[in-house]
Amino acid sequence: MTEITRVPLQPIARGSLTKLWLGVIAAVLLGAGIAWAAAPKGVELTEMTAGTGANPTAEDVILVNYKGMLADGTVFDQGQGVPLPLQGMIPGFTEGALKMQKGGKYRMVIPADKAYGAEEKRNPMTNQVVIPANSDLTFEVDLIDFMPAAAFEQRMQAMQQMMQQQQQQSGGGGGGGGAPAPGAPPR
């Protein structure tokens, strides 16, 4: 039978095991802190007035009153009763809107990486920088209503048809004096 070579174990000095465990804990905490700091920040949504009902989906068009601001409070855009298709919005705005409810008022802070990132936005008329590169954006949003994009498109087409009919009826006569419209009583 062969004999196995024995290695004698050395006794551990008093307090060394505690120091070893403290070192392991410190390394784990340091790694977690670095991971937390490097993790991308999400959209912060603060509810100022509670809404009711369901939340919009990414395929919906939302109807909102809004004000967009830079971190220093400079207003770069605002609107009343504006329809916004969520599929066409910056990722952070869509992410925040999906958590809103009809009738609610919200404050949304979007980090630059979920807004325009390193791209700056300019006013097409003046070529002036409106949103500098790497800007965090803040929006105050009142969610008035929302609907599926297909229903919104149908409503828009119906409104366009009504406007065309009204223009034909009012603009076609050239100021009166012509023949009455078919079916209208004579003048």
Side-chain angles (χ1 to χ4, degrees), residues 65-116:
N65 298 332
Y66 74 95
K67 180 168 52 169
M69 298 167 286
L70 300 175
D72 66 1
T74 303
V75 175
F76 61 84
D77 195 13
Q78 57 188 350
Q80 298 289 315
V82 178
L84 300 173
L86 290 179
Q87 288 184 335
M89 303 305 295
I90 57 174
F93 192 92
T94 300
E95 181 182 324
L98 296 177
K99 299 173 186 172
M100 296 179 184
Q101 292 178 303
K102 183 176 170 179
K105 294 183 182 190
Y106 302 89
R107 181 176 181 85
M108 184 180 353
V109 179
I110 303 172
D113 65 324
K114 292 194 176 199
Y116 296 107

Side-chain angles (χ1 to χ4, degrees), residues 114-138:
K114 292 194 176 199
Y116 296 107
E119 182 182 347
E120 63 183 22
K121 290 295 176 180
R122 294 179 173 270
N123 180 327
M125 305 295 271
T126 64
N127 202 32
Q128 181 180 8
V129 174
V130 178
I131 301 174
N134 299 312
S135 292
D136 294 341
L137 305 179
T138 301

Side-chain angles (χ1 to χ4, degrees), residues 1-53:
M1 200 184 258
T2 56
E3 185 166 321
I4 300 174
T5 308
R6 297 181 190 202
V7 178
L9 294 175
Q10 298 293 323
I12 297 176
R14 193 181 232 17
S16 294
L17 193 56
T18 303
K19 291 176 185 175
L20 176 66
W21 279 110
L22 288 175
V24 169
I25 291 170
V28 168
L29 289 174
L30 179 64
I34 290 171
W36 180 82
K41 304 295 183 240
V43 174
E44 293 177 32
L45 186 68
T46 305
E47 184 179 68
M48 296 167 18
T49 303
T52 58

Side-chain angles (χ1 to χ4, degrees), residues 134-151:
N134 299 312
S135 292
D136 294 341
L137 305 179
T138 301
F139 287 90
E140 291 177 359
V141 181
D142 300 343
L143 180 59
I144 300 166
D145 201 1
F146 62 91
M147 66 185 73

Side-chain angles (χ1 to χ4, degrees), residues 57-62 84-87 146-156:
T57 68
E59 293 79 33
D60 286 342
V61 174
I62 60 174
L84 300 173
L86 290 179
Q87 288 184 335
F146 62 91
M147 66 185 73
F152 177 75
E153 286 297 322
Q154 288 175 343
R155 286 188 183 186
M156 292 303 295

